[in-house]
Amino acid sequence: MPYIKLDSKSFSHNLHTIVSQTNSTINNIAIVLKDNAYGHGLIEMATLANKYGITSCFVKSEVEAHSIKHLFKHITILYPNFDNATEDNMYISITSLETLKKTQNNKTIELKIDSGMHRNGISKDEIKEAIKIIKSKNLRLFGVFTHNGFADEIGSEFYGQFHYFTEIKKEIIKLCKDNQIQIPRFHSLASSGAFRGASLNSSLPQELQDSIFRIGIALYGYCTSEIYNIKLKPVASLWAKKISSKTLKKGSTIGYGGVSKLDRDLTISTYDIGYGDGLFRIKKDINLTTKEGFSIFQVASMDCISIESTLDEVCIFDDATTWTSAFSTIPYEILSHLHANIPKKIV
Amino acid sequence: MPYIKLDSKSFSHNLHTIVSQTNSTINNIAIVLKDNAYGHGLIEMATLANKYGITSCFVKSEVEAHSIKHLFKHITILYPNFDNATEDNMYISITSLETLKKTQNNKTIELKIDSGMHRNGISKDEIKEAIKIIKSKNLRLFGVFTHNGFADEIGSEFYGQFHYFTEIKKEIIKLCKDNQIQIPRFHSLASSGAFRGASLNSSLPQELQDSIFRIGIALYGYCTSEIYNIKLKPVASLWAKKISSKTLKKGSTIGYGGVSKLDRDLTISTYDIGYGDGLFRIKKDINLTTKEGFSIFQVASMDCISIESTLDEVCIFDDATTWTSAFSTIPYEILSHLHANIPKKIV
């Protein structure tokens, strides 16, 4: 079987780089573990995060939350199914007044604000009503947050969203004080946002500051914007094992439709990963090599690929950006598509 | 949560169309269930196949085999890990002399032949040696097979591979007779291959005929070549549920980087599927609509997409070919990337 190697030193490097770049402490860093930790393996990444002292995380569902409940003090469920049980260290993200009204009394929640992405979240003019419902249902308001979706773009939108959320915080604090509700934690900045907004955040009066940064992709080792010159190290490398080798004559073709044709006699091997494992499909005209520099022949099959190698195992990539270029996408997609049943090894 | 609806009537339609097109019976049809049944759900598709009388199947691994062992008479494991246990109705695919030599005595195997794709499989000049090892290890040779990878291409390669394998069969039969080994079943034709080669196959003397067709994508409802005018019905449709709705003013932007901008006042909703579920990522310039005709806004997030709809649930697709065109790929990839944890509903 193929497997994913998770490099704990790279994870530690990323964590300390993020702490340093954002002029914060590990207590300010929450890890985003949703979608099987962006394909890296939920339990494995949760274990690493716990080992290095991270106490807050964000997951997608109650199912994800339950599988790592022993590893974190604070677990926020971003896309809850409201009929599933939660435990004391699990907080439900609430993204609309409608779901807030349906929430069971006495639950702990984090309230999502729409500060300009117009996906999910309560709008500014719904906040007063939201606090009223929270009070009447005796909900514990653990956090109020938003997602600044403009950190990777040059331009002022990032700052617009930042200041908009600061105004929201002021209103929340006032409403909480008026209603004897404990003031919640605030957070709005993900990886690029934290790099861009950390100093702006610390220039705010203490009570208006975001207390955590919600870090996903940067902890996994990717900086997705050229705005920031930050050296991170990819945590995951993808490895495949040899199925068999074959010595072929010049002119032989390989795979479906015989797309690849050998220009000389060559010994090649098949390896046990394909697009059925969630890897992107190497089609005609996609030229990729393994980490070792061996050519991968077009076209990939569902369960195997042919490579100009005879090694027992090869590294398909140790940096997903080689694949993001080939497929015009972002590392998030290459990584999160990898299927959960690929075994993980922490090194 | 999003979910996949599996239409049993469409499956039955496909099965009967394949039987009719190949002038065979259900006994000649084996289903390919590898890679979580091409993303459709292994157990659900195995249950459907069993219900409609299919008795042979092909899976990827021992893990897949064990989860459906009660549903089939014959289960072939295409990519075995040789250290895992098998049961009497599970047969290991052997793709090289090297692995044949390592196989435990008395196991039941199917021998894979390389007839021209040059991926995995024993070559013609290794067959004598293979039969010798089979005899010495007292292996049960249940099948001998190949994969004709040229069925979707216009040209003669398909026939070249077909006749090459027929010659192999002759040799196998002779060697089996000489060594008092029971003559195995033969198979070489997958979906397109069966449509193209069924009549050719039945023109062979009985003992040289393939006794099963290994059908994957056609049973799931797709005919991947325009060579064949066969009307199949996609079995899977992908559905997402509404998270929340939002009424926005003309000029509002949506999602990361504000890529989509509204040209009028509009009520839109977010739905709970994203590229973190294995769906392909709708990036800038990818224009797709739901089955109902609602526009999906660029760009998709990892866990949600915004759609010009207020329905409680929408059908993201009921035919993956709308997505294969947008992403220049094949239905196999769109479907097999969908994550196994998406719930399935058979209707």
Side-chain angles (χ1 to χ4, degrees):
Chain A
M1 284 191 83
Y3 66 96
I4 290 172
K5 206 184 272 184
L6 299 168
D7 188 322
S8 52
K9 280 189 189 145
S10 296
F11 181 79
S12 168
H13 166 86
N14 298 335
L15 178 57
H16 291 106
T17 304
I18 294 160
V19 164
S20 152
Q21 285 286 337
T22 57
N23 200 22
S24 57
T25 72
I26 284 178
N27 291 332
N28 306 118
I29 306 298
I31 184 168
V32 184
L33 292 171
K34 64 191 172 81
D35 294 293
N36 193 34
Y38 297 19
H40 290 64
L42 174 60
I43 291 168
E44 292 79 6
M45 291 308 302
T47 303
L48 273 182
N50 170 269
K51 179 180 166 188
Y52 289 102
I54 296 177
T55 58
S56 286
C57 74
F58 291 82
V59 296
K60 186 164 177 166
S61 63
E62 285 90 343
V63 172
E64 287 194 342
H66 279 280
S67 71
I68 55 161
K69 64 184 175 190
H70 54 297
L71 294 168
F72 294 93
K73 196 171 166 192
H74 308 296
I75 302 174
T76 304
I77 300 162
L78 292 169
Y79 293 87
N81 294 313
F82 293 83
D83 41 358
N84 290 343
T86 52
E87 302 201 5
D88 285 349
N89 62 341
M90 299 177 190
Y91 320 137
I92 297 169
S93 163
I94 298 291
T95 62
S96 69
L97 284 185
E98 201 182 341
T99 46
L100 184 60
K101 285 174 193 160
K102 286 187 206 155
T103 304
Q104 287 172 30
N105 290 0
N106 308 313
K107 285 264 183 188
T108 304
I109 65 163
E110 292 213 61
L111 195 65
K112 173 105 185 253
I113 304 293
D114 176 12
S115 62
M117 280 186 82
H118 298 137
R119 297 185 308 179
N120 306 304
I122 284 165
S123 64
K124 199 171 186 302
D125 58 15
E126 294 172 326
I127 289 174
K128 205 170 273 182
E129 172 75 3
I131 295 291
K132 203 171 139 189
I133 300 167
I134 287 165
K135 181 79 179 171
S136 72
K137 286 176 160 285
N138 194 32
L139 299 171
R140 179 180 168 219
L141 182 65
F142 186 76
V144 171
F145 71 110
T146 192
H147 188 56
N148 193 322
F150 294 88
D152 281 344
E153 323 298 320
I154 293 169
S156 64
E157 290 89 345
F158 175 80
Y159 301 102
Q161 263 202 285
F162 185 89
H163 290 299
Y164 188 87
F165 188 56
T166 305
E167 293 306 307
I168 300 273
K169 292 181 204 174
K170 287 181 190 165
E171 187 176 347
I172 295 277
I173 290 169
K174 184 179 179 313
L175 285 165
C176 285
K177 286 180 178 167
D178 291 350
N179 288 278
Q180 288 92 46
I181 291 171
Q182 194 175 339
I183 292 168
R185 70 177 185 181
F186 296 117
H187 45 104
S188 62
L189 302 172
S191 296
S192 295
F195 298 140
R196 193 155 175 190
S199 64
L200 195 60
N201 183 56
S202 43
S203 74
L204 294 173
Q206 183 80 35
E207 71 167 7
L208 288 178
Q209 287 179 22
D210 280 9
S211 60
I212 56 165
F213 301 119
R214 272 189 331 262
I215 309 293
I217 201 74
L219 278 170
Y220 301 112
Y222 296 90
C223 187
T224 54
S225 171
E226 289 165 8
I227 301 174
Y228 321 103
N229 181 27
I230 294 170
K231 299 288 175 228
L232 301 171
K233 296 181 179 173
V235 169
S237 56
L238 178 63
W239 297 76
K241 292 188 183 141
K242 187 167 76 173
I243 300 171
S244 63
S245 293
K246 197 171 282 295
T247 300
L248 299 172
K249 294 278 176 204
K250 176 180 172 177
S252 297
T253 61
I254 297 167
Y256 283 99
V259 167
S260 282
K261 193 168 183 173
L262 297 186
D263 59 4
R264 60 195 191 283
D265 294 359
L266 205 59
T267 300
I268 67 163
S269 306
T270 49
Y271 289 85
D272 62 356
I273 194 162
Y275 63 83
D277 297 292
L279 189 65
F280 270 58
R281 188 174 72 97
I282 297 172
K283 44 200 171 188
K284 210 177 158 186
D285 303 324
I286 296 274
N287 295 301
L288 282 166
T289 59
T290 67
K291 166 69 180 167
E292 299 85 4
F294 301 123
S295 293
I296 305 176
F297 293 105
Q298 304 153 5
V299 297
S301 295
M302 197 186 281
D303 304 291
C304 65
I305 51 181
S306 295
I307 299 177
E308 190 180 340
S309 157
T310 56
L311 295 182
D312 283 342
E313 62 177 41
V314 290
C315 180
I316 302 300
F317 62 72
D318 67 349
D319 181 342
T321 54
T322 52
W323 285 61
T324 59
S325 310
F327 291 97
S328 307
T329 190
I330 52 180
Y332 303 84
E333 190 182 16
I334 298 291
L335 294 162
S336 70
H337 270 223
L338 294 172
H339 286 182
N341 64 354
I342 301 176
K344 315 295 184 296
K345 292 184 189 175
I346 298 176
V347 294
Chain B
M1 286 191 82
Y3 66 96
I4 290 172
K5 207 184 273 184
L6 300 168
D7 188 323
S8 52
K9 281 189 190 147
S10 297
F11 182 79
S12 168
H13 166 87
N14 298 335
L15 178 56
H16 290 106
T17 302
I18 294 159
V19 164
S20 152
Q21 285 286 337
T22 56
N23 201 21
S24 57
T25 71
I26 284 177
N27 291 332
N28 305 117
I29 306 298
I31 185 167
V32 184
L33 292 171
K34 64 192 171 79
D35 294 293
N36 193 34
Y38 297 18
H40 289 66
L42 174 60
I43 292 168
E44 291 80 3
M45 290 308 302
T47 303
L48 273 182
N50 170 270
K51 179 180 165 188
Y52 290 103
I54 296 176
T55 58
S56 285
C57 75
F58 291 82
V59 296
K60 186 163 177 168
S61 63
E62 286 89 343
V63 172
E64 287 195 342
H66 279 280
S67 71
I68 55 161
K69 64 184 176 191
H70 54 296
L71 294 169
F72 295 94
K73 195 171 168 192
H74 308 296
I75 302 175
T76 305
I77 300 161
L78 292 169
Y79 294 87
N81 295 314
F82 294 83
D83 41 359
N84 290 344
T86 52
E87 303 201 5
D88 286 349
N89 62 341
M90 299 177 191
Y91 320 138
I92 296 169
S93 164
I94 297 292
T95 62
S96 69
L97 283 185
E98 200 183 342
T99 46
L100 184 59
K101 284 173 192 159
K102 286 187 206 155
T103 304
Q104 287 172 30
N105 290 0
N106 309 315
K107 285 263 184 188
T108 303
I109 64 161
E110 292 213 61
L111 196 64
K112 173 104 186 251
I113 304 293
D114 176 12
S115 62
M117 280 186 80
H118 299 135
R119 296 186 309 178
N120 305 304
I122 283 163
S123 65
K124 200 170 186 306
D125 58 13
E126 294 172 327
I127 288 174
K128 205 171 273 183
E129 171 75 2
I131 295 290
K132 204 171 139 189
I133 300 167
I134 287 166
K135 181 80 180 170
S136 74
K137 286 177 160 284
N138 194 33
L139 299 172
R140 179 180 168 218
L141 182 63
F142 185 75
V144 172
F145 71 111
T146 193
H147 188 58
N148 193 321
F150 294 88
D152 282 343
E153 323 296 320
I154 293 168
S156 64
E157 291 89 345
F158 174 80
Y159 301 101
Q161 262 202 285
F162 186 89
H163 290 299
Y164 188 88
F165 188 56
T166 304
E167 293 306 307
I168 300 273
K169 292 181 202 174
K170 288 181 189 164
E171 188 177 347
I172 295 278
I173 290 169
K174 186 181 180 309
L175 286 165
C176 285
K177 285 180 178 166
D178 291 350
N179 288 279
Q180 291 90 47
I181 290 171
Q182 194 175 339
I183 293 168
R185 71 176 184 181
F186 296 118
H187 45 103
S188 62
L189 302 172
S191 297
S192 295
F195 298 140
R196 193 154 175 190
S199 63
L200 195 60
N201 183 56
S202 44
S203 73
L204 295 173
Q206 183 80 35
E207 71 167 7
L208 288 178
Q209 288 179 23
D210 280 10
S211 60
I212 55 165
F213 302 118
R214 274 190 328 264
I215 309 294
I217 201 74
L219 278 170
Y220 301 111
Y222 297 90
C223 187
T224 55
S225 171
E226 288 165 10
I227 301 174
Y228 321 103
N229 181 26
I230 294 170
K231 299 287 174 231
L232 300 170
K233 295 182 181 175
V235 170
S237 55
L238 178 64
W239 298 75
K241 292 188 184 142
K242 187 167 76 175
I243 300 170
S244 63
S245 293
K246 199 172 278 297
T247 300
L248 298 172
K249 294 278 177 204
K250 177 179 172 178
S252 297
T253 62
I254 297 166
Y256 283 99
V259 167
S260 283
K261 192 168 183 174
L262 298 187
D263 59 5
R264 61 193 190 286
D265 292 2
L266 205 60
T267 300
I268 67 163
S269 306
T270 50
Y271 289 85
D272 62 357
I273 194 161
Y275 64 84
D277 298 292
L279 188 66
F280 271 57
R281 188 174 72 97
I282 297 171
K283 43 200 172 189
K284 211 178 157 184
D285 302 325
I286 297 273
N287 294 303
L288 282 166
T289 58
T290 66
K291 167 69 179 166
E292 300 85 2
F294 301 122
S295 294
I296 304 175
F297 293 103
Q298 305 154 8
V299 298
S301 296
M302 196 185 280
D303 303 293
C304 64
I305 50 180
S306 296
I307 300 177
E308 189 181 339
S309 157
T310 56
L311 294 182
D312 283 342
E313 61 178 42
V314 290
C315 180
I316 302 300
F317 61 73
D318 67 349
D319 181 341
T321 55
T322 52
W323 284 62
T324 59
S325 311
F327 291 97
S328 307
T329 189
I330 52 180
Y332 303 83
E333 190 182 18
I334 297 291
L335 293 163
S336 70
H337 270 223
L338 294 173
H339 286 182
N341 64 354
I342 301 177
K344 315 294 184 296
K345 291 185 191 174
I346 298 177
V347 294

